Amino acid sequence: MKTFCGRANPTTGALDWVEESEEYDYHQEIARSCYADMLHDHDRNEKYYQGIRAAVARVKARGEKVIVLDIGTGTGLLSMMAVTAGADFCYAVEVFKPMAEAAKCIVKKNGFSEKIQIINKHSTDVTVGPDGDMQTKANVLITELFDTELIGEGALPSYEHAHLNLVQEGCEAVPHRATVYAQLVESELLWSWAQLQSVEVEGARMVPPPDVGRCAGAHSVCDIQLSQVSPRSFTPLGPLCTMFSVDFSKPVSSALQSHSSKFAAQSDGRAQVVLSWWDLDMDPSGSIVCTMAPSWTYPEPKRAPWRDHWMQSVYFLPAEIRVTEGDELSLTVCHDDYSLWYSLQSDSQQVTQTEAPPSRPCCTCQAHLVWTRPRFGELNDRRRTASYVSALRSVLREDSVCLGVSDGSLLPVFAHMLGAKKVYGLENSRMSKQVIEQVLEANSIKGGVQLLEIRPEQLTSNDLGGEQISVLMGEPFFSTSLLPWHSLSFWYCRTALAGLLRPNATILPCSATLHVMAVEFQDLWRIRAPCGTCEGFDVTPMDEMVQRSLDFHESREAEPHPLWEYPCRALTRSTAVMTFDFTQCVPQEPITSQGSLPLIRIGRCHGVALWMEYHLTDDITVSAGLIGPISEQGECEWSRHRKQGVYFLRSPWESSGDGRASVAYSFTFEPGSGDIKMDFNVDSQ
């Protein structure tokens, strides 16, 4: 059955009504789920298998039947490991229905249907008894309920309920224990993701609003591939601290708790950021350990396991604190049932046991609700800002009337500081408008920029005091953009404003180009690669389920990824495949482009990276993708501020590097929808 769905178009800004299959959302969720990443994580699988064998053996040694409860079973892999290890019966709980159905197929295909029962429920809804989902309580508890923050998927409430209702007292648990670690650091790079910094414009200094500087920021964790943040980018101010452990074989509480670790500061600096990760002990002795530590903690970093389902966490302190080498410090972590937060106290600020633990950070300035962490980093990028200031300086005149079209942008502030006669800014929300107003007030230029909470097509000459726009400017940045070309929303804004522009108006950026490059991923390919056999078990029903969803029409599109976190090698040259001329209105007819990318380096081609470059003027360009030349070996340096597009080939291609094979491409920009349709395939001679 078909249904009409209203979807906000991130490029045109319009609400599009499109006819979709009733299975549309179902396929989208499966296609983007990245289940394969977990099954390709051999280190995780191996450690779980070792822990399960040991737990089953301990129960058998007591002369008991082994009854397993596997919460969050996914494909049923851990349950099949348990039966293979000698378990008598497994109750495997999976709340996501498509995954539960796939698990039933996998369990049947591997011949375990008589010993594994798939229960399609949330574990807190599972019942025990003659008429229940489980006939008896389990004496082995196996779980995979963790996320980058350890507890963010509701692990604590699930364990709490299981110990009260689903497992026997003194049960064995795999994993047996989790331990959270943290390290206090100073880092200009990481801190730039949390606080707006001052910037110099033509000898004047734009300062951030005091309320933003005093704000504790967003409470959500910043989860990243910390292995890709060089140790040269931060200075440790203390040792790696063991913050707390959770024993999963005993009753677990989801109540608010706090834990502190005391240490002496190792050097002078500004305490700004806490780096954090966790380990899993699969057995009580701690001899089977699965660690989330970043690669640079390993003696041989290249041997560190890669995973995307569990990464590392960055937490920002509510405010930076100056510390001196030798200072006695206390780092405190608090957690509720779903999240963690950190605070720092000096010796003179020690929290007594009678005091309430530090409250969860909460944004009070609105800036941390308007600007994401990457957006803070973008606004604080001095080189990028210098490019925009230089471009503005070259086009502004004493009589310039400027209009800024971007979300939460500082360009109108810069234009005023550079001497424009009048400056207007369009903001898509009241909150975004209020944040920029704070910036204007902090710099005593509140009357210098008039902010309008209005859509471009609603703007009239009266809103501009009868003036015509001489400089239309944008970064462009829009909070609704997911894929690189969604920023073409600027082009649609420019078209809607055409009647308000002077005949010789300057458009900044004047154009944009879409760039593509065929790549070999170091690890990201795992999220799309079929598994086939995993640790000796046939999981092809899951592969088939994912492939069916990938074959669904929309799921074959490119998807957004921050490529600075996911290293890749260029196998072709970077090529501009489409140009969008912002000095003209959006055309009525589609724009098409076809060509090929010769494979000039040896490697395995997994897909294509896509990004936008914005030409502010004829000689100033800002890239939202590659920010440096490609090395002879094909290594790339990517912008940390925006996500690039990735299109995965259906099957990887082995490149000989002689240029005889190439990736053929076809692009069509549809003006009506604002979408770019694309197709890639490998041609070999």
Side-chain angles (χ1 to χ4, degrees):
M1 187 176 76
K2 298 283 188 177
T3 182
F4 279 99
C5 301
R7 302 188 187 280
N9 188 307
T11 305
T12 64
L15 180 66
D16 294 340
W17 289 92
V18 293
E19 189 180 51
E20 295 288 6
S21 163
E22 62 181 353
E23 296 182 319
Y24 174 83
D25 291 328
Y26 161 91
H27 284 294
Q28 284 292 91
E29 185 167 358
I30 293 173
R32 301 287 186 251
S33 60
C34 303
Y35 287 113
D37 165 40
M38 301 179 71
L39 296 183
H40 282 297
D41 187 348
H42 176 68
D43 178 72
R44 160 196 174 272
N45 300 340
E46 183 180 43
K47 301 292 175 54
Y48 260 101
Y49 212 165
Q50 292 173 6
I52 288 168
R53 288 194 195 101
V56 169
R58 289 193 297 273
V59 174
K60 282 188 168 293
R62 298 198 292 263
E64 301 174 23
K65 273 193 167 185
V66 180
I67 306 299
V68 172
L69 171 62
D70 175 8
I71 301 178
T73 194
T75 59
L77 176 67
L78 303 184
S79 288
M80 293 189 294
M81 288 178 176
V83 171
T84 303
D88 294 282
F89 198 81
C90 291
Y91 295 101
V93 180
E94 175 55 52
V95 68
F96 185 42
K97 187 174 181 180
M99 200 70 247
E101 293 299 321
K104 287 179 183 177
C105 294
I106 290 169
V107 165
K108 181 178 180 180
K109 192 175 187 71
N110 287 275
F112 294 112
S113 294
E114 293 185 2
K115 289 199 171 186
I116 298 176
Q117 177 184 333
I118 305 296
I119 302 172
N120 180 207
K121 286 185 175 182
H122 194 285
S123 65
T124 54
D125 295 325
V126 171
T127 57
V128 179
D131 298 321
D133 301 303
M134 299 170 60
Q135 295 298 297
T136 183
K137 289 186 175 182
N139 52 14
V140 174
L141 175 59
I142 300 173
T143 56
E144 213 285 38
L145 298 170
F146 314 113
D147 70 347
T148 292
E149 205 172 12
L150 181 68
I151 64 173
E153 289 187 4
L156 295 181
S158 297
Y159 273 114
E160 189 173 41
H161 176 269
H163 276 287
L164 286 171
N165 301 282
L166 306 178
V167 298
Q168 300 173 19
E169 185 178 352
C171 73
E172 300 287 344
V174 182
H176 178 81
R177 180 190 307 111
T179 303
V180 173
Y181 303 93
Q183 186 168 38
L184 181 69
V185 304
E186 174 184 352
S187 174
E188 182 179 352
L189 168 66
L190 299 178
W191 191 241
S192 73
W193 299 350
Q195 291 291 350
L196 186 64
Q197 299 168 359
S198 61
V199 61
E200 194 162 312
V201 180
E202 290 291 281
R205 183 163 290 276
M206 190 212 76
V207 298
D211 285 350
V212 176
R214 290 192 293 262
C215 181
H219 72 267
S220 59
V221 65
C222 178
D223 54 340
I224 64 172
Q225 291 282 358
L226 201 52
S227 295
Q228 300 308 316
V229 176
S230 168
R232 295 188 299 274
S233 299
F234 59 85
T235 302
L237 301 179
L240 184 65
C241 300
T242 301
M243 298 307 299
F244 68 94
S245 293
V246 183
D247 186 336
F248 298 126
S249 69
K250 298 176 181 178
V252 171
S253 172
S254 61
L256 177 67
Q257 296 182 33
S258 65
H259 311 269
S260 296
S261 181
K262 297 181 180 180
F263 57 90
Q266 293 179 341
S267 62
D268 298 350
R270 295 169 296 161
Q272 299 168 323
V273 176
V274 176
L275 311 181
S276 182
W277 56 87
W278 44 268
D279 287 349
L280 294 176
D281 288 327
M282 295 297 181
D283 67 328
S285 70
S287 59
I288 308 168
V289 181
C290 185
T291 179
M292 305 308 117
S295 62
W296 36 258
T297 65
Y298 283 68
E300 297 181 64
K302 290 185 178 180
R303 297 179 67 87
W306 181 87
R307 34 190 152 240
D308 203 41
H309 52 103
W310 296 330
M311 292 186 281
Q312 295 80 38
S313 301
V314 172
Y315 298 90
F316 303 99
L317 293 180
E320 66 177 15
I321 301 172
R322 279 246 169 233
V323 300
T324 303
E325 184 177 357
D327 283 354
E328 291 297 323
L329 303 174
S330 179
L331 184 64
T332 298
V333 62
C334 302
H335 71 80
D336 53 18
D337 49 349
Y338 279 92
S339 60
L340 283 68
W341 60 95
Y342 283 84
S343 62
L344 182 70
Q345 298 82 34
S346 65
D347 194 34
S348 59
Q349 300 173 313
Q350 296 298 316
V351 178
T352 66
Q353 291 187 348
T354 57
E355 289 185 67
S359 59
R360 178 206 296 270
C362 177
C363 177
T364 56
C365 72
Q366 300 188 96
H368 299 91
L369 305 178
V370 169
W371 294 326
T372 63
R373 269 95 181 220
R375 180 62 172 157
F376 267 100
E378 187 166 60
L379 294 172
N380 288 326
D381 185 332
R382 294 185 183 92
R383 287 178 56 189
R384 181 179 182 275
T385 295
S387 294
Y388 280 95
V389 169
S390 178
L392 281 170
R393 187 193 306 114
S394 71
V395 301
L396 290 179
R397 304 290 179 264
E398 289 184 0
D399 64 343
S400 291
V401 177
C402 303
L403 176 66
V405 181
S406 278
D407 292 349
S409 175
L410 299 177
L411 290 191
V413 181
F414 298 157
H416 173 77
M417 296 175 73
L418 289 167
K421 173 186 169 185
K422 286 188 179 180
V423 183
Y424 298 88
L426 297 189
E427 289 294 344
N428 72 341
S429 72
R430 181 155 302 171
M431 190 180 298
S432 182
K433 177 171 174 277
Q434 290 171 347
V435 168
I436 302 303
E437 284 175 343
Q438 288 184 63
V439 175
L440 296 171
E441 187 171 349
N443 291 276
S444 303
I445 53 174
K446 192 160 186 179
V449 178
Q450 186 175 341
L451 299 174
L452 305 169
E453 187 187 341
I454 191 171
R455 291 189 57 80
E457 62 270 20
Q458 298 169 326
L459 192 70
T460 67
S461 179
N462 289 337
D463 296 314
L464 303 175
E467 298 269 14
Q468 284 189 306
I469 302 162
S470 57
V471 178
L472 179 65
M473 57 192 178
E475 299 188 42
F477 172 84
F478 300 95
S479 57
T480 54
S481 298
L482 294 174
L483 289 161
W485 43 93
H486 289 165
S487 62
L488 291 176
S489 181
F490 177 76
W491 204 7
Y492 286 82
C493 294
R494 177 259 182 270
T495 302
L497 295 165
L500 299 175
L501 299 177
R502 291 181 186 175
N504 59 344
T506 297
I507 312 296
L508 188 158
C510 57
S511 65
T513 45
L514 176 65
H515 291 248
V516 301
M517 183 173 71
V519 297
E520 174 186 53
F521 283 109
Q522 183 174 300
D523 294 296
L524 189 63
W525 60 269
R526 300 172 197 271
I527 70 171
R528 284 288 165 268
C531 294
T533 300
C534 179
E535 312 305 327
F537 301 99
D538 186 344
V539 294
T540 52
M542 187 212 69
D543 293 336
E544 293 163 358
M545 176 188 73
V546 172
Q547 190 59 53
R548 283 193 298 272
S549 292
L550 287 171
D551 288 339
F552 197 71
H553 73 96
E554 185 122 352
S555 301
R556 283 306 309 172
E557 293 185 347
E559 53 194 71
H561 291 284
L563 293 184
W564 74 267
E565 293 187 63
Y566 303 106
C568 59
R569 288 177 57 243
L571 299 183
T572 67
R573 293 182 178 85
S574 163
T575 303
V577 294
M578 300 191 92
T579 298
F580 310 97
D581 184 358
F582 298 153
T583 65
Q584 305 297 316
C585 291
V586 175
Q588 298 294 315
E589 298 300 318
I591 301 174
T592 62
S593 175
Q594 294 86 32
S596 61
L597 307 169
L599 291 160
I600 59 173
R601 292 186 183 90
I602 296 172
R604 171 171 269 210
C605 182
H606 295 113
V608 176
L610 307 100
W611 68 95
M612 297 289 283
E613 295 190 359
Y614 305 104
H615 308 288
L616 308 186
T617 63
D618 290 340
D619 55 357
I620 301 176
T621 295
V622 172
S623 174
L626 280 181
I627 56 173
I630 300 168
S631 75
E632 286 188 16
Q633 293 73 35
E635 289 151 349
C636 308
E637 184 180 2
W638 299 95
S639 167
R640 284 190 169 97
H641 310 317
R642 304 220 185 167
K643 292 182 178 180
Q644 292 72 45
V646 175
Y647 188 103
F648 290 98
L649 298 177
R650 287 179 178 269
S651 300
W653 179 269
E654 299 294 340
S655 167
S656 60
D658 57 11
R660 287 190 293 178
S662 60
V663 178
Y665 61 80
S666 172
F667 289 92
T668 302
F669 170 71
E670 297 283 355
S673 67
D675 198 10
I676 294 180
K677 300 296 184 184
M678 63 191 69
D679 189 34
F680 298 93
N681 58 77
V682 179
D683 287 339
S684 59
Q685 297 178 359

